[in-house]
Structure formats: structure tokens, C-alpha cells
Amino acid sequence: MTVNKRQMLVMVVGGWLSNFAANGQSLPNLFPLPNASGVLETYNTGNGPIDLSGPFFQSLGTNGRSCGSCHRPAQGWGISAAEVKTRFFLTLGLDPIFRPNDGANCDHNIDTSTLSGRQKAYSLLTDKGLIRVQVQVPAAAEFSVVSVANRYGCGDLATLSMYRRPLPTTNLRFLSTLMWDGRESSTQTGTQKITFATNPGDLLANLAHQSVDATTIHAQASTPPTPQQQQAIVNFEMALATAQAFDYGAGALNGYGANGGPVRLGTQTLAGFYVGINDALGGDPHGIPFTPVIFGLYDAWANPPGHDSEENDQAGRRASIARGQALFNSKPINITGVAGLNDDLNLATIPGTCGTCHDSPNVGNHSVSAPLNIGVGDLNSPLDVSYLPVFTLQNKTTLEIKTTTDPGRALITGLWKDVGRLKGPILRGLPSRAPYFHNGSANSLGDAIDFYNTRFNIGITPQEKNDLIAFLSTL
Ligand code: HEC
Ligand code: HEC
């Protein structure tokens, strides 16, 4: 099946109209939600419509927020900065996402009584889609926090304020750790590490625990959600599979023998998953060797047939997407200076590809918990990080100093080697939820590729960059 541009336009306009008509009660299964490069769909693996009235979308706290304030179907169950900006203008900054506790750059010395005051107070949320995440420095940490430079205030030394992007609440069965810093999959917080032997029980328990924390922190609830509400939230999240389904240039992403879109992802026909699958360090529990060929969605498009001129346009786009997939699977990257790889393996250079770190087949996260510091939060990142706070940490034993914009995993484990380490997220649904990386420092997929090209000196040509963007935009 393929769709021409006129059909696509009709679909998109139709989609918008029925969005207004949907009345917030439920979303038809596989409802087309348009974004800049095509249409995103969510497949309810339980079949039937996607219920928008359960506890996930109810205000369970005191500030009017629900999980759905920050985890939105059309934004791949996260948020995009563009949509948040629109929400700000439509509600004059009064939508429940705009709450001082963690929606504002800082919760004190702000004026939220006027529109201009709110514009200023919520600038990181509207510009970058960032939420303020507070984590206490563990008492037994191997380091102390010497100073915090935070231009918005919130420079406390004992409880640090980081600014992070909401992670999608879909495709969750592929997770090997919960939250950017894995804190909801950590003994330190009373949750458990996700392992092959204990999955999916570990994940389900962690998600229930996370739903309590999210309700008391983001929604400022004084009482936690009931066990029934927790269960309903976890069941709801676990049933969702989300992916881009149509591309304005290429048509249906499951057309001409391709396997894009959420149904294949949700029915597991392609993306069989278990914790440790295809582990890049040889830890696959079934002993199957690692392959860098992570994505096989568009193999059939390497030489797509063309018919009339519109079909030829589409064929060109399909070929570009297939080339982008091949680059993801094979472009050599010399991995250097990555904490969690080069230091742990004691190798100055590791010959790799995108899939060395994004190793889950057709999903793209890391299939085991493997917090890494690729430099996204370092002060010398090739992308602008000047809007973020700077933390200066000192090792209590060696007196060595590290500076970072986000200490990451180190605030959970207290370990010096974990400074700046964060998880590699799932790569499906990308085009609906810009900007990228935990701190939103890549405004577009092109910026993310530029980051890698500069950071690892890959030598990506302009044509290769276009092909990689075309591919990532179909995930
Ligand atoms: C104010 C915005 C906001 C609200 C409201 C919110 N979240 Fe989140 N959510 C976030 C942010 C930010 C993160 C990432 C934080 C981090 O990793 O440090 C996140 C992460 C998550 C994750 C982790 C996904 C992964 O890949 O690890 C899950 C699951 C989740 N939220 C579920 C929920 C649920 C359930 C609710 C409602 C009870 C909720 N969230 C309410 C902002 C929000
Ligand atoms: C050395 C490990 C490593 C390699 C190699 C790597 N990545 Fe990543 N990737 C990560 C980690 C870790 C993150 C999360 C970083 C952060 O946000 O701080 C990430 C994040 C991303 C994101 C952002 C996702 C989001 O939801 O914000 C994209 C897109 C991405 N990578 C694409 C690629 C592509 C394309 C390649 C190959 C050119 C690649 N990665 C190579 C480890 C890696």
C-alpha cells in the first residue's frame, strides 16, 4: 500500500479535525498524528481504542497535572519544545505543565503572576522541552559538590537541579533501565536492576514505583496513587507501541516490502527482545554474537521500483532512507573518551558503529543497562550547552576535579566513574519529539548527527547526513 501526496494531505487535515472531535475520551487505534516529516501512530497491542480517560490522564495530585501533561500521544508520548511553546501561547502559560515546582527554570525568585513573568520563568520548558529534575547527592558519594553555577537560581549543593527531557512512555517493554540515570532501576532507590533472569517482573515493579514518584513529585500529590491506579497506569503504558507510520516523501513506511510503523514493532515479528539481546560486549544470554546490523526495516528499499513521476520521487526518498539505514548499521566510528566504554574496557579507541551503543534490534536503545558519557553534557560539547548549570565536583580521595552540566548516574551510585553517564534511549518515534539528547541540546536530528560527526571525527558527508536524517525520521 502506498499513499500519494494528496491522500496524505487529506489524511493530515482529517487527522487534525478528528483530533478536535475526539473529545479527549479515546483515540482510535493507529490514529494518524501528523508531525514535520510524516505521521506517527500508536498501536494498542491490547487492541481497541487508546483510552484517554484512565489514571494516566487523570489529575491525581494537587497541581492539575496528569502523566499526559508531559507524555503526549502526538509527541511520541513525550513532549516537543514546539508543541509546548504552542501550548504556552494557547493557554497564556497557564496549562498545568507550567507549574513552578519543576516546570519552571527554578521554583523561587520567579514571578508567575504576569504573562511576561511566566514567559521568563518557563523559558527552558518552552525553548527546549526541559523539566527540572532534582536529585540529592548521596551522603556516601566518592565526591563532593564544590560549586554550582546556575543562572536561574536553584544552585543548592546538597540537592542538585538538572534539566532533562521527558522520556517516552511507550515501547516500554524494550527498556533495560528506567529514567536517564537509571534511578528507578537501582537498589539505592528501593527498585531493582533489570536483568534477563528477572524480566519483565523487574520492569513492571519499577514502573509501578515510578508512577508513585511521578505522582508525588510532578503532580505534587500528598497521597500516592492506589495500587489499582498504579496497576492501571503500568498496564496502559505497557500496551503501547509507537513509531512513525507514514513519511511525506516516501509514503507508507510498511509499503514496498518495508517493515516500518508501529504494528510490526508491537507484534514483535521483527523486534524480538530480551534483556541483553545483541549485546555489543558479547553478553547476549543466548550466546548469540553481536551484529552491528541493528535496523532491518528498509532492506527492501535499497532498489525500490518507480512508476509515474510522483512514484519516482517516492522511490528516491525510499532509496535515501535505505542508505541512511545502511549508514547507521555500518559507518565506522572510532569511539574514544566515552566513560562506560573506553575506561571500563581500558581501551583508548574502540572501533564501532552507531549500533555499538544502540544495540537493540529495530529499537535502538542499549539492550542492557549501560550508562555512558558520550559528552552531551560536557562543557566542551560541540553543541551549545551554555543554558545549563555547571557543577564542579571533587573526588574526596584523589582531589581530582570534574565539571559537568549533569552528573547523571553518579548521583544515584555515588561513584566517581559514573559522573555524566546516562542511558541511550529508544530511537523509535524520533521525529515527533525534538529536541534530542537528555538536555535538549540537539534542536534537530541534523544537530544530533553533527554532534557525533564532530565529537568522534566520523567524516560524515552532507549526502550521508541527509540520508541519516531521512532514515531517523522514519523511526
Ligand atoms: C512535569 C512533567 C512530567 C509529568 C507530569 C510526568 N512525567 Fe514522566 N518523565 C518526565 C521526565 C522529565 C522524565 C525523565 C526524567 C529523568 O530521567 O531524570 C520522565 C520519565 C518517565 C518515564 C521513564 C521512561 C524511560 O525510558 O525510562 C516513565 C515510565 C514516566 N516518566 C512515566 C510517567 C507517569 C506514569 C506519569 C504520571 C504518574 C508521569 N511520567 C508524569 C516528566 C514528566
Ligand atoms: C558511544 C556510544 C554511542 C554511539 C557510538 C552512538 N550513540 Fe547515539 N546515544 C548514545 C547515548 C548514551 C545517548 C544519550 C545521550 C544523552 O542524551 O546524553 C544517545 C542518544 C542518541 C540520540 C537522541 C535520542 C533522543 O531521544 O534524544 C540519537 C538520535 C542518537 N543517539 C543517534 C545516534 C546515531 C545516528 C549514531 C551513529 C552516527 C549514534 N547515535 C551513535 C550513545 C551512542
Side-chain angles (χ1 to χ4, degrees):
M1 177 198 146
T2 183
V3 176
N4 70 30
K5 281 177 191 135
R6 178 136 37 90
Q7 287 168 313
M8 183 62 72
L9 192 69
V10 169
M11 264 189 58
V12 167
V13 174
W16 266 320
L17 288 177
S18 19
N19 207 357
F20 286 111
N23 210 13
Q25 288 308 298
S26 72
L27 208 57
N29 205 358
L30 298 171
F31 187 78
L33 296 162
N35 53 47
S37 62
V39 168
L40 182 89
E41 290 179 359
T42 291
Y43 176 54
N44 174 9
T45 59
N47 281 312
I50 296 163
D51 179 19
L52 303 181
S53 65
F56 190 92
F57 290 98
Q58 290 165 13
S59 162
L60 302 177
T62 57
N63 62 12
R65 281 179 176 166
S66 73
C67 311
S69 303
C70 300
H71 298 286
R72 322 240 325 155
Q75 281 67 47
W77 300 91
I79 52 177
S80 73
E83 185 278 326
V84 172
K85 194 162 263 177
T86 306
R87 220 188 309 174
F88 188 94
F89 284 111
L90 290 177
T91 66
L92 303 176
L94 296 171
D95 180 273
I97 197 174
F98 305 110
R99 292 290 178 261
N101 62 315
D102 63 1
N105 304 343
C106 187
D107 58 354
H108 51 269
N109 295 334
I110 53 173
D111 173 14
T112 55
S113 68
T114 64
L115 179 61
S116 66
R118 289 194 290 277
Q119 258 160 346
K120 196 163 165 246
Y122 296 107
S123 66
L124 287 176
L125 184 50
T126 53
D127 291 350
K128 296 280 185 182
L130 291 171
I131 296 293
R132 188 170 64 96
V133 174
Q134 289 179 269
V135 183
Q136 219 177 327
V137 183
E142 292 177 347
F143 55 89
S144 56
V145 181
V146 182
S147 68
V148 179
N150 182 324
R151 65 168 77 167
Y152 315 101
C154 282
D156 193 87
L157 294 178
T159 299
L160 306 189
S161 286
M162 279 77 61
Y163 299 88
R164 295 185 186 159
R165 300 273 297 121
L167 284 156
T169 53
T170 184
N171 303 323
L172 293 184
R173 72 193 169 90
F174 305 114
L175 287 186
S176 56
T177 194
L178 211 55
M179 314 308 270
W180 284 106
D181 52 16
R183 69 183 177 280
E184 295 282 357
S185 306
S186 301
T187 48
Q188 291 86 349
T189 60
T191 52
Q192 44 179 323
K193 188 175 161 71
I194 294 174
T195 67
F196 176 72
T198 54
N199 198 248
D202 44 19
L203 172 66
L204 297 174
N206 291 350
L207 284 171
H209 188 277
Q210 193 278 341
S211 76
V212 175
D213 287 346
T215 305
T216 50
I217 297 170
H218 300 304
Q220 296 178 287
S222 41
T223 52
T226 65
Q228 290 78 5
Q229 287 170 325
Q230 296 172 36
Q231 190 62 54
I233 288 173
V234 175
N235 291 349
F236 176 79
E237 295 174 317
M238 283 295 290
L240 307 176
T242 303
Q244 197 78 344
F246 293 89
D247 182 88
Y248 296 131
L253 293 170
N254 58 358
Y256 290 99
N259 289 303
V263 177
R264 296 304 295 271
L265 184 64
T267 50
Q268 220 177 349
T269 43
L270 268 172
F273 177 82
Y274 49 87
V275 175
I277 188 172
N278 196 39
D279 180 37
L281 301 182
D284 185 306
H286 295 308
I288 301 168
F290 169 71
T291 166
V293 180
I294 308 303
F295 285 97
L297 304 174
Y298 303 111
D299 294 353
W301 287 3
N303 293 298
H307 304 293
D308 58 35
S309 63
E310 183 168 67
E311 290 294 301
N312 282 332
D313 278 358
Q314 288 197 346
R317 177 75 176 180
R318 286 194 286 267
S320 170
I321 291 166
R323 286 195 302 272
Q325 177 180 270
L327 288 164
F328 190 99
N329 290 339
S330 65
K331 184 78 180 170
I333 304 175
N334 282 322
I335 299 170
T336 56
V338 171
L341 281 177
N342 299 91
D343 52 351
D344 285 359
L345 301 176
N346 200 16
L347 291 169
T349 303
I350 300 168
T353 56
C354 301
T356 308
C357 308
H358 299 280
D359 60 10
S360 292
N362 292 311
V363 180
N365 60 325
H366 213 116
S367 74
V368 292
S369 169
L372 305 175
N373 181 3
I374 60 171
V376 166
D378 291 358
L379 297 185
N380 64 357
S381 164
L383 299 173
D384 177 25
V385 292
S386 63
Y387 56 91
L388 294 166
V390 176
F391 304 95
T392 303
L393 315 178
Q394 183 165 41
N395 186 307
K396 286 176 183 166
T397 313
T398 66
L399 306 184
E400 194 194 335
I401 297 274
K402 284 183 184 172
T403 51
T404 179
T405 61
D406 191 329
R409 183 85 184 134
L411 292 180
I412 311 306
T413 61
L415 298 177
W416 184 242
K417 72 179 177 73
D418 284 344
V419 171
R421 293 193 191 187
L422 296 157
K423 76 165 173 181
I426 287 171
L427 298 181
R428 302 304 298 258
L430 282 173
S432 62
R433 53 178 164 91
Y436 305 101
F437 294 135
H438 73 276
N439 56 19
S441 59
N443 287 323
S444 63
L445 290 168
D447 280 1
I449 293 164
D450 288 344
F451 168 86
Y452 285 109
N453 200 24
T454 309
R455 166 70 177 80
F456 296 106
N457 208 357
I458 306 175
I460 295 174
T461 66
Q463 160 88 56
E464 288 176 329
K465 179 178 167 184
N466 284 339
D467 291 342
L468 267 170
I469 295 172
F471 166 63
L472 294 172
S473 304
T474 66
L475 291 178

